[in-house]
Amino acid sequence: MTRTTATTTKVVAKLLCAALLAALMNGCSDPEGVFAPDSAAVRAFRARLDSHPSATAVLQARCPSPIRVLRLSVDRPVTEDILTLLQVTETHQVNTRHVRLLCGETVLSDAWNWYVPERLSPAMNTLLEQTDTPFGRVVQQTAFRRERLETRFPGEASGIILENRALLRRGTDDAPISLVVEDYLPAALGP
């Protein structure tokens, strides 16, 4: 493929994605089924998420600038289900982080992260508490792996193409360090 053809292909893909996103945001249907759960684009995106421990790294691979994190208010309680999955007994043993991941000004995902600070280093906890660094980047030295618990396809009306619920487990002993719930928007499919 020549450089001109590759550039033209990228431009057309971006325009198509922008047009479909605009149609979805304006309440129109998705006549081509691009964002349907069984579409090739959503299946490929899900496969990339399943094959990599860090969702941020998957999104970064499609973003020309560093992924930005926008911290949001925390208004979801730590439930018994969360305690059980993280293998802790008290709510004070869990910290909560709610973020939006962006490529430039474009929102790619909204993520909830419940994590166990005592299973991370003091330096990691400081970064998580005081910076907007993505969770996956902060804890990459734990050699964590992702265990997908559930994938849902909330549908066009929600504006969410895919919701993942996963446990992140520390590489050395398989201890759960985090429960994440990630809502991906159409822009996450990228160009």
Side-chain angles (χ1 to χ4, degrees):
M1 184 182 303
T2 67
R3 186 175 197 158
T4 303
T5 304
T7 302
T8 302
T9 303
K10 286 180 182 179
V11 169
V12 170
K14 285 182 181 183
L15 290 172
L16 176 61
C17 188
L20 287 170
L21 180 59
L24 286 173
M25 294 305 179
N26 288 325
C28 297
S29 63
D30 176 16
E32 301 297 320
V34 173
F35 301 126
D38 61 346
S39 75
V42 172
R43 283 194 317 266
F45 181 66
R46 179 181 175 184
R48 283 192 302 277
L49 289 170
D50 287 348
S51 69
H52 202 289
S54 172
T56 303
V58 171
L59 294 173
Q60 185 62 72
R62 304 179 72 84
C63 180
S65 58
I67 293 291
R68 289 189 324 112
V69 174
L70 176 63
R71 293 180 76 127
L72 303 171
S73 63
V74 175
D75 57 3
R76 287 188 188 176
V78 176
T79 63
E80 286 297 319
D81 180 48
I82 293 169
L83 295 176
T84 300
L85 287 167
L86 291 175
Q87 299 174 1
V88 295
T89 56
E90 302 292 329
T91 58
H92 72 272
Q93 294 175 284
V94 177
N95 283 356
T96 307
R97 204 171 191 233
H98 182 202
V99 300
R100 192 162 283 152
L101 299 179
L102 298 94
C103 177
E105 297 301 316
T106 304
V107 178
L108 305 177
S109 72
D110 187 86
W112 283 88
N113 183 318
W114 294 271
Y115 64 96
V116 183
E118 70 181 30
R119 295 185 185 145
L120 303 175
S121 72
M124 289 176 192
N125 282 305
T126 298
L127 284 172
L128 290 171
E129 292 166 14
Q130 298 178 8
T131 73
D132 292 336
T133 307
F135 188 85
R137 282 192 202 140
V138 171
V139 302
Q140 68 186 5
Q141 290 179 351
T142 67
F144 69 93
R145 71 173 180 86
R146 172 182 287 258
E147 176 187 330
R148 183 169 40 91
L149 302 175
E150 178 183 24
T151 296
R152 293 183 339 112
F153 303 94
E156 206 174 298
S158 71
I160 298 168
I161 58 160
L162 176 79
E163 178 183 277
N164 262 351
R165 188 169 182 246
L167 270 179
L168 305 183
R169 293 183 173 275
R170 195 166 49 192
T172 55
D173 59 5
D174 215 36
I177 59 173
S178 173
L179 171 68
V180 295
V181 175
E182 304 152 334
D183 292 333
Y184 294 97
L185 305 179
L189 297 179

CSV table of all heavy atoms in Angstrom, one decimal, residues 117-142:
chain,number,residue,atom,x,y,z
A,117,PRO,N,-5.1,-0.9,48.5
A,117,PRO,CA,-3.8,-0.2,48.7
A,117,PRO,C,-2.7,-1.0,49.3
A,117,PRO,O,-1.5,-0.9,48.9
A,117,PRO,CB,-4.1,1.0,49.5
A,117,PRO,CG,-5.6,1.2,49.4
A,117,PRO,CD,-6.2,-0.2,49.2
A,118,GLU,N,-3.1,-1.9,50.3
A,118,GLU,CA,-2.0,-2.7,51.0
A,118,GLU,C,-1.3,-3.7,50.0
A,118,GLU,O,-0.3,-4.2,50.4
A,118,GLU,CB,-2.6,-3.4,52.2
A,118,GLU,CG,-3.5,-4.5,51.9
A,118,GLU,CD,-4.1,-5.2,53.1
A,118,GLU,OE1,-4.3,-4.5,54.2
A,118,GLU,OE2,-4.4,-6.4,53.0
A,119,ARG,N,-1.9,-3.9,48.9
A,119,ARG,CA,-1.2,-4.9,47.9
A,119,ARG,C,-0.4,-4.1,46.9
A,119,ARG,O,0.1,-4.7,45.9
A,119,ARG,CB,-2.3,-5.7,47.3
A,119,ARG,CG,-3.0,-6.6,48.3
A,119,ARG,CD,-4.0,-7.5,47.6
A,119,ARG,NE,-4.7,-8.3,48.7
A,119,ARG,CZ,-6.0,-8.6,48.6
A,119,ARG,NH1,-6.7,-8.4,47.6
A,119,ARG,NH2,-6.5,-9.3,49.6
A,120,LEU,N,-0.3,-2.8,47.1
A,120,LEU,CA,0.5,-2.0,46.2
A,120,LEU,C,1.6,-1.3,47.0
A,120,LEU,O,1.6,-1.2,48.2
A,120,LEU,CB,-0.3,-0.9,45.5
A,120,LEU,CG,-1.5,-1.4,44.7
A,120,LEU,CD1,-2.4,-0.3,44.2
A,120,LEU,CD2,-1.1,-2.3,43.6
A,121,SER,N,2.7,-0.8,46.3
A,121,SER,CA,3.8,-0.2,47.0
A,121,SER,C,3.3,1.2,47.5
A,121,SER,O,2.4,1.8,46.9
A,121,SER,CB,5.0,0.0,46.1
A,121,SER,OG,4.7,0.9,45.1
A,122,PRO,N,4.0,1.8,48.5
A,122,PRO,CA,3.7,3.2,48.9
A,122,PRO,C,3.8,4.2,47.7
A,122,PRO,O,2.9,5.1,47.6
A,122,PRO,CB,4.7,3.5,50.0
A,122,PRO,CG,5.1,2.1,50.5
A,122,PRO,CD,5.0,1.2,49.3
A,123,ALA,N,4.8,4.0,46.8
A,123,ALA,CA,4.9,4.9,45.7
A,123,ALA,C,3.7,4.8,44.8
A,123,ALA,O,3.2,5.8,44.2
A,123,ALA,CB,6.2,4.6,45.0
A,124,MET,N,3.3,3.6,44.5
A,124,MET,CA,2.1,3.4,43.7
A,124,MET,C,0.9,4.1,44.3
A,124,MET,O,0.1,4.8,43.6
A,124,MET,CB,1.8,1.9,43.5
A,124,MET,CG,2.8,1.2,42.6
A,124,MET,SD,2.4,-0.6,42.5
A,124,MET,CE,3.9,-1.2,41.8
A,125,ASN,N,0.7,3.9,45.6
A,125,ASN,CA,-0.5,4.5,46.2
A,125,ASN,C,-0.4,6.0,46.2
A,125,ASN,O,-1.4,6.7,45.9
A,125,ASN,CB,-0.6,4.1,47.7
A,125,ASN,CG,-1.2,2.7,47.8
A,125,ASN,OD1,-2.2,2.4,47.3
A,125,ASN,ND2,-0.4,1.8,48.4
A,126,THR,N,0.8,6.6,46.3
A,126,THR,CA,0.9,8.0,46.2
A,126,THR,C,0.5,8.5,44.8
A,126,THR,O,-0.2,9.5,44.7
A,126,THR,CB,2.4,8.5,46.5
A,126,THR,OG1,2.6,8.1,47.9
A,126,THR,CG2,2.5,10.0,46.4
A,127,LEU,N,1.0,7.8,43.8
A,127,LEU,CA,0.6,8.2,42.4
A,127,LEU,C,-0.9,8.1,42.2
A,127,LEU,O,-1.5,9.0,41.6
A,127,LEU,CB,1.4,7.3,41.4
A,127,LEU,CG,2.8,7.7,41.2
A,127,LEU,CD1,3.5,6.6,40.3
A,127,LEU,CD2,3.0,9.0,40.6
A,128,LEU,N,-1.5,7.1,42.7
A,128,LEU,CA,-2.9,6.9,42.5
A,128,LEU,C,-3.7,7.9,43.2
A,128,LEU,O,-4.8,8.4,42.7
A,128,LEU,CB,-3.4,5.5,42.9
A,128,LEU,CG,-2.9,4.3,42.0
A,128,LEU,CD1,-3.2,3.0,42.7
A,128,LEU,CD2,-3.5,4.4,40.7
A,129,GLU,N,-3.3,8.3,44.4
A,129,GLU,CA,-4.0,9.3,45.2
A,129,GLU,C,-3.8,10.8,44.8
A,129,GLU,O,-4.6,11.6,44.9
A,129,GLU,CB,-3.6,9.2,46.7
A,129,GLU,CG,-4.1,7.9,47.3
A,129,GLU,CD,-3.5,7.5,48.6
A,129,GLU,OE1,-2.8,8.4,49.2
A,129,GLU,OE2,-3.6,6.4,49.0
A,130,GLN,N,-2.6,11.0,44.2
A,130,GLN,CA,-2.2,12.4,44.0
A,130,GLN,C,-2.0,12.8,42.5
A,130,GLN,O,-1.8,14.0,42.3
A,130,GLN,CB,-0.9,12.7,44.8
A,130,GLN,CG,-1.1,12.6,46.3
A,130,GLN,CD,0.2,12.9,47.0
A,130,GLN,OE1,1.2,13.3,46.5
A,130,GLN,NE2,0.2,12.6,48.3
A,131,THR,N,-2.1,11.9,41.6
A,131,THR,CA,-1.9,12.2,40.2
A,131,THR,C,-3.1,11.7,39.4
A,131,THR,O,-3.9,10.9,39.8
A,131,THR,CB,-0.6,11.7,39.7
A,131,THR,OG1,-0.7,10.3,39.5
A,131,THR,CG2,0.6,12.0,40.6
A,132,ASP,N,-3.0,12.1,38.1
A,132,ASP,CA,-4.0,11.6,37.1
A,132,ASP,C,-3.4,10.5,36.2
A,132,ASP,O,-3.9,10.2,35.2
A,132,ASP,CB,-4.5,12.7,36.2
A,132,ASP,CG,-5.3,13.7,37.0
A,132,ASP,OD1,-5.9,13.3,38.0
A,132,ASP,OD2,-5.4,14.9,36.6
A,133,THR,N,-2.4,9.8,36.7
A,133,THR,CA,-1.7,8.7,36.0
A,133,THR,C,-2.7,7.5,35.9
A,133,THR,O,-3.3,7.2,36.9
A,133,THR,CB,-0.4,8.3,36.7
A,133,THR,OG1,0.4,9.5,36.9
A,133,THR,CG2,0.3,7.3,35.8
A,134,PRO,N,-2.8,6.9,34.7
A,134,PRO,CA,-3.7,5.8,34.6
A,134,PRO,C,-3.3,4.6,35.5
A,134,PRO,O,-2.1,4.4,35.7
A,134,PRO,CB,-3.6,5.4,33.1
A,134,PRO,CG,-3.1,6.6,32.4
A,134,PRO,CD,-2.3,7.3,33.4
A,135,PHE,N,-4.3,3.9,36.0
A,135,PHE,CA,-4.0,2.8,37.0
A,135,PHE,C,-3.1,1.8,36.4
A,135,PHE,O,-2.1,1.4,37.1
A,135,PHE,CB,-5.4,2.2,37.3
A,135,PHE,CG,-5.2,1.2,38.5
A,135,PHE,CD1,-5.3,1.6,39.8
A,135,PHE,CD2,-5.0,-0.2,38.2
A,135,PHE,CE1,-5.1,0.7,40.8
A,135,PHE,CE2,-4.9,-1.1,39.2
A,135,PHE,CZ,-4.9,-0.7,40.5
A,136,GLY,N,-3.3,1.4,35.2
A,136,GLY,CA,-2.4,0.4,34.5
A,136,GLY,C,-1.0,0.8,34.5
A,136,GLY,O,-0.1,0.0,34.7
A,137,ARG,N,-0.7,2.1,34.2
A,137,ARG,CA,0.7,2.5,34.2
A,137,ARG,C,1.3,2.5,35.6
A,137,ARG,O,2.4,2.2,35.8
A,137,ARG,CB,0.7,4.0,33.6
A,137,ARG,CG,0.6,4.0,32.2
A,137,ARG,CD,1.0,5.4,31.6
A,137,ARG,NE,0.4,5.5,30.3
A,137,ARG,CZ,-0.2,6.6,29.8
A,137,ARG,NH1,-0.2,7.7,30.6
A,137,ARG,NH2,-0.7,6.7,28.7
A,138,VAL,N,0.5,2.9,36.6
A,138,VAL,CA,1.0,3.0,38.0
A,138,VAL,C,1.4,1.6,38.5
A,138,VAL,O,2.4,1.5,39.1
A,138,VAL,CB,-0.1,3.6,38.9
A,138,VAL,CG1,0.4,3.5,40.4
A,138,VAL,CG2,-0.3,5.1,38.5
A,139,VAL,N,0.6,0.6,38.2
A,139,VAL,CA,0.8,-0.7,38.8
A,139,VAL,C,1.5,-1.7,37.8
A,139,VAL,O,1.6,-2.9,38.1
A,139,VAL,CB,-0.5,-1.3,39.3
A,139,VAL,CG1,-1.2,-0.4,40.3
A,139,VAL,CG2,-1.5,-1.6,38.2
A,140,GLN,N,2.0,-1.2,36.7
A,140,GLN,CA,2.6,-2.2,35.7
A,140,GLN,C,3.7,-3.0,36.3
A,140,GLN,O,3.9,-4.1,35.9
A,140,GLN,CB,3.1,-1.4,34.5
A,140,GLN,CG,4.2,-0.5,34.7
A,140,GLN,CD,4.5,0.3,33.4
A,140,GLN,OE1,3.8,0.2,32.4
A,140,GLN,NE2,5.6,1.1,33.5
A,141,GLN,N,4.4,-2.5,37.3
A,141,GLN,CA,5.5,-3.3,37.9
A,141,GLN,C,5.0,-4.5,38.7
A,141,GLN,O,5.8,-5.4,39.1
A,141,GLN,CB,6.4,-2.4,38.9
A,141,GLN,CG,7.2,-1.4,38.1
A,141,GLN,CD,8.0,-0.5,39.1
A,141,GLN,OE1,7.8,-0.5,40.3
A,141,GLN,NE2,8.9,0.3,38.5
A,142,THR,N,3.7,-4.6,39.0
A,142,THR,CA,3.2,-5.8,39.6
A,142,THR,C,3.0,-6.9,38.7
A,142,THR,O,2.7,-8.0,39.1
A,142,THR,CB,1.8,-5.5,40.3
A,142,THR,OG1,0.8,-5.2,39.2
A,142,THR,CG2,1.8,-4.3,41.3
